[in-house]
Amino acid sequence: MRYLLILINLFIFTELSLAQNCDFSIFGTVKDAADGKVLPGASIKLIKENQATVSEIDGHFHFYKLCPGNYTLEVSFVGYSSKMVAIDVKGKTDLTISLEPSSSLLNTVKIIGSKVNETPLQSTAKLKDRDLALTRGESLGESLKKIPGLNSIQTGPSVSKPVIHGMHSNRVLIFNSGVRLEGQQWGSEHAPEVDPFLAHEIKVVKGAASVQYGPDALGGVILIEPASLDFHNTFKGEVDFAAMSNNQMGALSAKVEGANKTHTFAWRLQSTVKQAGNAKTADYVLANTAFRELNGSLTLGYQKGHLSTELFASSFNTKLGIFTGSNIGSTTDLQEAIQRPRPDIIGERSYKIGRPYQDVQHQTIKLKSTYLFDKLGKAGLQYSFQRNIREEYSLVRAASRSGYQLQFELNTQNLDLYLEHKPIGNFTGKVGLTGMFQQNFYDGSYLIPFFDSYNTGAYFIEKWSKKRWEIEAGLRFDYKHMQAKLREVPLDNNSPIITPAFNFNQTVGTLGSSYLLKEGLKVHATIAQAWRPPAISELFIDGIVQAQAAYIIGDRNLKEESSLNLSTGISKTSGKLTGDLNFYYDFNQDYIYLQPTQELKLTTRGAYRVLRYVQVDARFYGTDAFLAYQLHDNLNISVKYSGVRAYNKANNNFLELIPADRTSATLSFKIPDLKIMKSNLLDFNVQHVAQQTRVNPNAEPLLPPAAYTLFGADFTSNIKFAKQMIGLGLSAQNLFNKSYRDYLNNFRYFNDDLGRNIIVRLNMKI
């Protein structure tokens, strides 16, 4: 917590020291030029100042802490022509900006009211623009580690899963293009089946968000959002390329899109291909860690009058190797492997994928329609279908066994109906009904059973906004039924078949508020409930999970898990000093987690450490911090910190697999434009990860690895080549090729983490 106190003092001291003459402000209102009505949700950018905001429910907007001088505002709103406004700021400036309806949209779109916020009034973060571009080619889990409070739990170099405030898997929901992602997400070794190249923006809601997004959102929600279809451009395209030195990976992603001349129909076609070889630590190559990926998506859109319809279809396909050194022959060999400084099996540069490996396919279809009612608001209906097929090929002794050892097929259907009502005074809101039906099948060795499941839910969210205040409240009820089919003794083929059924339901609520302080600071506070029923895997799993190098055992007596989340924070988005400070506290009743043990189990497939699902009362608390300061027009420094503490209240000990404290700093230089190189930006960064000392020493066979510090650099530029602008990105990760191990890597017992990685990224728009 020492880092937190330093950051808070720095934040307060610097803010006070900057109180010079730059205390001027701009207050404005955005209106429709035709009828004079205010336009909530309009985008207002302060050009060359790197500041932006949106108009509030009453059309008002404001910028604070401005120095005297000339400024230019860019104002835009869907369905209206953008407008540039020049202002001479000499004090407090008030103005009204009127936007003209776009002539190309007059016959097709009617703007009604304001859009209900898609994210609640709690700590949120985004990856977009340059920050997102600098993650191209990386997995979703690795990409999100740039955000304070987010981390990833890894299974070797090829599998990475997002962690929010110490929670992951069934406690973090992922929405891909508006569809709740449903795969075999119960396993920390099961990476999300999404293509980050599809994203135009990635939003993260930190903390409990079950009211808006449904059960399981205890840790938070990740929203992967493609760009909206462009109904006004008959044809355009974009190509992204990424190459990495560490695993010799190449990735190519391309998309083309267009629309008809009447602006009623639009389409987009996108595809990504990746191939990577074996990854390398600072000193050796990790055997069988190659992977390949082939993805594609198609989006079709239609709009006319008040009706809008969209069809989205995607396919995700990957084959990824699992480090061979995690497969151990006996309990004695396992103990020796854990104590060994480097693995007994050293790989070589190769793209070959052998056993053990995973083969995963995920298909999604979504059909969504919305209708704008003049007096009521916007109503929406969405149906989606997902099929997830996962095959796992273990390292087996019998050479004749060429097929998979495990196959899972999960089919999920979702139906969502909602209404966003028109503003009523200062109120906006949303009410909705949700339903989900799932069927799971398996083949091969037993790990989890067949099951059917259906969920139903109903919710409402209402927000009151006036001047500087926003208050949001919501309520939700969910019911879930699950029925499994398995043998009473799963691994005994002579045991009778049983069909146990489970019913869970709970009502949760949320209350949040934010206030915009006079000096431009915004504070927020939220109290939110969340819950989730135990997953079938947590109840019934019994077997080897090769990718975790573990034998995992479930508990059929687990109950639903409940959480009460308290969070508060302060953010500053204007002036030379910007930043966020966020604090949270979670009360988790009947928290379900996979507890490491010191047990070792010998099976016909080798020796494995034993993990068990248990249930305890737990407490999580922590903080995320981000501060940025503009030292000069061309020089900027930023600091990030995240720390989380988690306790098992049953034994007053620490919970396992909680991220260690992380602190990072970045120094950014704006390099003057050259003849063919524009928007040049160079970053140097350093990240320090502390040793995780808050562990139960009796729960794991090896103490957490030592602290480590990594250095890196990023350079981006727009290069003019043959009348075409090409975006260039160069990155160096682990610049000095340091050997280290991360506590959140399931294979930390067997091998080091990745060594130096040089990345080249190119982007070209057509």
Side-chain angles (χ1 to χ4, degrees), residues 237-302:
E238 186 173 355
V239 178
D240 281 286
F241 171 78
M244 300 186 181
S245 67
N246 185 283
N247 57 1
Q248 298 178 322
M249 188 202 81
L252 180 66
S253 183
K255 67 179 179 182
V256 289
E257 56 186 311
N260 64 356
K261 294 181 179 180
T262 60
H263 311 299
T264 58
F265 175 76
W267 58 274
R268 178 189 297 128
L269 185 64
Q270 181 265 350
S271 183
T272 299
V273 60
K274 291 183 186 178
Q275 178 141 347
N278 289 336
K280 187 179 182 299
T281 71
D283 301 312
Y284 51 85
V285 175
L286 297 170
N288 199 49
T289 53
F291 69 89
R292 55 178 175 262
E293 195 174 298
L294 178 61
N295 312 316
S297 67
L298 171 67
T299 309
L300 303 175
Y302 173 82

Side-chain angles (χ1 to χ4, degrees), residues 668-735:
S668 299
F669 298 88
K670 288 183 180 179
I671 301 174
D673 289 349
L674 303 175
K675 185 174 181 180
I676 63 170
M677 299 180 68
K678 311 294 183 181
S679 304
N680 306 307
L681 191 60
L682 176 64
D683 299 340
F684 294 102
N685 57 75
V686 58
Q687 175 183 247
H688 176 75
V689 179
Q691 183 180 30
Q692 181 54 286
T693 58
R694 291 167 291 277
V695 297
N696 182 353
N698 298 318
E700 298 192 57
L702 192 68
L703 290 176
Y708 62 88
T709 302
L710 303 179
F711 294 84
D714 296 298
F715 173 75
T716 57
S717 178
N718 291 322
I719 300 176
K720 188 175 182 180
F721 179 77
K723 299 182 180 181
Q724 176 71 49
M725 294 302 294
I726 298 176
L728 170 67
L730 299 174
S731 298
Q733 300 171 345
N734 192 1
L735 188 61

Side-chain angles (χ1 to χ4, degrees), residues 64 113 135-136 167 236 330 366 421 434 449 530 554 570 693-694 701:
Y64 294 102
T135 68
R136 296 304 193 193
M167 301 186 190
K236 64 179 179 180
S330 68
K366 177 191 77 173
H421 70 74
T434 65
I570 181 170
T693 58
R694 291 167 291 277

Side-chain angles (χ1 to χ4, degrees), residues 557-575:
N557 297 312
L558 296 176
K559 302 178 292 185
E560 62 261 40
E561 177 181 332
S562 301
S563 171
L564 179 64
N565 173 267
L566 308 176
S567 64
T568 186
I570 181 170
S571 63
K572 186 174 186 296
T573 57
S574 61

Side-chain angles (χ1 to χ4, degrees), residues 120 122 173 205-221 476 508 510 528-530 565:
Q122 58 196 99
L173 293 184
V205 179
K206 303 178 189 179
S210 281
V211 170
Q212 185 153 340
Y213 299 102
D216 302 328
L218 281 81
V221 181
R476 183 182 182 113
V508 296
T510 183
Q529 295 174 299
N565 173 267

Side-chain angles (χ1 to χ4, degrees), residues 593-658:
Y593 80 104
L594 195 56
Q595 184 179 62
T597 73
Q598 293 186 333
E599 297 178 64
L600 302 177
K601 187 176 182 67
L602 181 63
T603 73
T604 57
R605 289 162 56 186
Y608 298 88
R609 57 196 180 99
V610 176
L611 309 178
R612 296 178 180 273
Y613 278 108
V614 299
Q615 194 160 38
V616 300
D617 289 343
R619 299 291 181 266
F620 286 72
Y621 67 89
T623 184
D624 309 327
F626 168 74
L627 291 176
Y629 182 68
Q630 187 176 352
L631 299 168
H632 185 268
D633 289 345
N634 297 321
L635 185 62
N636 188 79
I637 187 171
S638 62
V639 180
K640 300 176 185 177
Y641 169 80
S642 62
V644 56
R645 308 289 183 263
Y647 293 90
N648 178 343
K649 299 297 290 183
N651 58 15
N652 290 318
N653 216 324
F654 299 103
L655 284 174
E656 295 81 6
L657 281 179
I658 300 300

